Amino acid sequence: MKSIESEAYSIHFNEHCYEELDSYLEHSNFSKIFILVDSNTHNYCLPKFLSNISYFSEFEIIEMEAGELNKTIDTCTQVWHTLTELEADRKSLLINLGGGVVTDLGGFVASAFKRGISFINVPTSLLAMVDASVGGKTGVDLGSLKNQVGVINFSEMVLIDTSFLKTLSIDEMRSGMAEMLKHGLIKDANYWNRLDGLSHLKLSGLGALIHESIIIKNEVVTRDPNELGERKQLNFGHTIGHAIESYCLENKTKKTLLHGEAIAAGMVIEAYLSTKYCGLTNKELLKIKKVFTKMYGCVEFDTKDKKLIIELLKYDKKNSHGEVKYSLIESIGKCKVDMIVDNDVIFEAFDYYASKQ
Ligand code: GLY
């Protein structure tokens, strides 16, 4: 698969990514190399990663606890202390080997440590490959509120080795697939149709679709790195989806959802809003609902849940001047940003999501 180059960073794939890393390290002059892993990637991904690298043999491993609940400023503080104890300096490099929690948190740790050290993302989950590790968004959660603290800062490179996906559960694969479907819904109807036709999540054939998804995301980020306009499109499904995810994370009676599961629900609900506010046809809405409910089922919410989820919308990062701003779709492949909707219509949209049609 062909490397993707942008002004700020490059993205390399499979065997090629290790050659690129070796060559990059050979031509850099890092004082020390640190590899941030979580308890899972330490066991399942680090041995493979190290066996492919020939340039460096001296490095330090820093391990954090796995899981969204550990994507906190406390974990960052622990990593900063460890870096300090291990005498990291401004010329150190941090390699983030893991899923979205590790790449988001590691990117933030590196961006703030001594006012910024270099970092490289090596995503090991499908979600991190097609979304989290690409585009420079770094950060942590604040309580149950997602990604409230962070900065946009680009990694030196992103290395995508799709063989790491063999270590993933089917639920994790589905979670990442939701972001790929989103890329089709906002930018490319053909791509969406091809994903819709994917009857299995086998790795054969998926590599090319991953590559295409990253191209779609990277083009948007290149045109609007700081999310002043077009990049907001990448938040389709996320206004409601993040509120659902935070609500389920906080609420002991609810099953914690993977990010992709929450935004799958968010995309069906926001597709309904799209029919009311920007002309998405009912035919397309029905198609979207079918695809997502077949793959992700339907999460149940009672009236109290819905009210509390709507309350959480006020914390969305796209809001300004007290208004909740949505990215909605006019048709499959075309997205419109900064849309304002009525809460009554959100209740209707939840009803549509739960309906059998
Ligand atoms: N995950 C959305 C973005 O990177 O802008």
Side-chain angles (χ1 to χ4, degrees):
M1 271 179 271
K2 201 165 175 289
S3 295
I4 301 170
E5 301 287 345
S6 67
E7 248 172 62
Y9 59 94
S10 46
I11 306 169
H12 303 290
F13 293 85
N14 297 335
E15 308 79 37
H16 197 47
C17 66
Y18 299 105
E19 291 158 21
E20 291 291 339
L21 178 59
D22 274 337
S23 146
Y24 170 78
L25 293 175
E26 200 177 346
H27 295 99
S28 313
N29 185 24
F30 290 112
S31 53
K32 281 196 170 171
I33 297 174
F34 297 87
I35 306 178
L36 179 67
V37 289
D38 67 18
S39 18
N40 294 325
T41 56
H42 197 166
N43 289 337
Y44 300 116
C45 304
L46 185 63
K48 177 178 176 15
F49 177 72
L50 293 177
S51 71
N52 279 296
I53 302 297
S54 42
Y55 185 75
F56 67 87
S57 54
E58 281 187 33
F59 51 84
E60 300 280 358
I61 308 290
I62 303 178
E63 183 180 318
M64 62 173 279
E65 287 296 312
E68 188 71 33
L69 285 172
N70 298 300
K71 192 177 166 185
T72 62
I73 201 73
D74 285 345
T75 305
C76 293
T77 306
Q78 285 166 22
V79 180
W80 284 320
H81 277 302
T82 308
L83 285 168
T84 305
E85 280 155 22
L86 295 171
E87 297 178 13
D89 63 20
R90 291 186 76 175
K91 291 286 169 203
S92 298
L93 171 73
L94 183 66
I95 298 178
N96 301 315
L97 178 72
V101 171
V102 172
T103 59
D104 279 11
L105 183 142
F108 181 61
V109 162
S111 303
F113 187 71
K114 296 190 190 277
R115 300 208 179 94
I117 61 171
S118 299
F119 67 101
I120 288 176
N121 283 337
V122 188
T124 56
S125 71
L126 182 58
L127 188 110
M129 288 180 190
V130 297
D131 188 30
S133 70
V134 176
K137 281 193 179 171
T138 74
V140 293
D141 301 339
L142 191 61
S144 61
L145 299 174
K146 296 269 305 169
N147 304 330
Q148 293 284 301
V149 179
V151 294
I152 293 182
N153 182 31
F154 293 101
S155 59
E156 298 294 312
M157 43 170 66
V158 183
L159 306 176
I160 311 256
D161 179 348
T162 53
S163 71
F164 284 130
L165 297 178
K166 289 184 198 146
T167 65
L168 282 196
S169 68
I170 190 80
D171 287 345
E172 290 281 355
M173 288 296 280
R174 262 194 223 116
S175 178
M177 192 76 180
E179 294 288 359
M180 296 168 74
L181 288 161
K182 178 198 75 182
H183 290 150
L185 285 176
I186 61 167
K187 283 288 178 206
D188 189 336
N190 270 331
Y191 182 65
W192 156 266
N193 287 333
R194 267 179 295 134
L195 287 175
D196 170 19
L198 201 70
S199 56
H200 54 72
L201 286 170
K202 292 217 181 91
L203 282 188
S204 54
L206 197 57
L209 292 165
I210 292 172
H211 189 252
E212 222 173 312
S213 206
I214 296 171
I215 290 175
I216 294 174
K217 169 146 191 191
N218 189 55
E219 282 176 357
V220 174
V221 171
T222 303
R223 287 191 289 265
D224 180 21
N226 296 313
E227 201 168 295
L228 301 175
E230 185 181 356
R231 187 168 183 171
K232 293 180 195 170
Q233 294 182 10
L234 294 168
N235 293 306
F236 172 63
H238 283 61
T239 310
I240 299 284
H242 269 156
I244 289 175
E245 191 178 357
S246 294
Y247 181 69
C248 293
L249 198 63
E250 173 111 304
N251 195 311
K252 298 274 174 296
T253 66
K254 294 277 161 201
K255 178 178 171 276
T256 300
L257 298 176
L258 292 173
H259 177 67
E261 294 170 329
I263 64 142
M267 282 191 271
V268 176
I269 292 166
E270 292 186 18
Y272 179 89
L273 299 177
S274 301
T275 62
K276 301 293 167 193
Y277 291 95
C278 60
L280 182 74
T281 63
N282 285 326
K283 195 171 161 217
E284 286 190 305
L285 171 65
L286 197 57
K287 185 156 189 233
I288 293 167
K289 182 164 188 252
K290 267 195 179 150
V291 168
F292 282 114
T293 42
K294 187 169 154 214
M295 201 158 191
Y296 302 90
C298 181
V299 187
E300 282 178 27
F301 301 108
D302 62 22
T303 308
K304 183 171 149 261
D305 294 332
K306 289 177 218 171
K307 279 190 185 148
L308 292 170
I309 288 167
I310 290 172
E311 268 291 297
L312 288 173
L313 295 172
K314 63 172 176 275
Y315 301 109
D316 191 85
K317 293 186 297 305
K318 293 183 301 309
N319 299 349
S320 60
H321 304 89
E323 284 181 318
V324 182
K325 307 266 178 72
Y326 291 79
S327 303
L328 301 179
I329 48 174
E330 296 172 279
S331 59
I332 292 178
K334 197 155 183 250
C335 187
K336 200 168 172 187
V337 302
D338 291 335
M339 305 294 293
I340 294 174
V341 315
D342 286 335
N343 282 353
D344 290 349
V345 188
I346 302 177
F347 278 104
E348 266 176 40
F350 268 101
D351 290 344
Y352 175 77
Y353 168 69
S355 68
K356 294 280 172 248
Q357 55 180 131

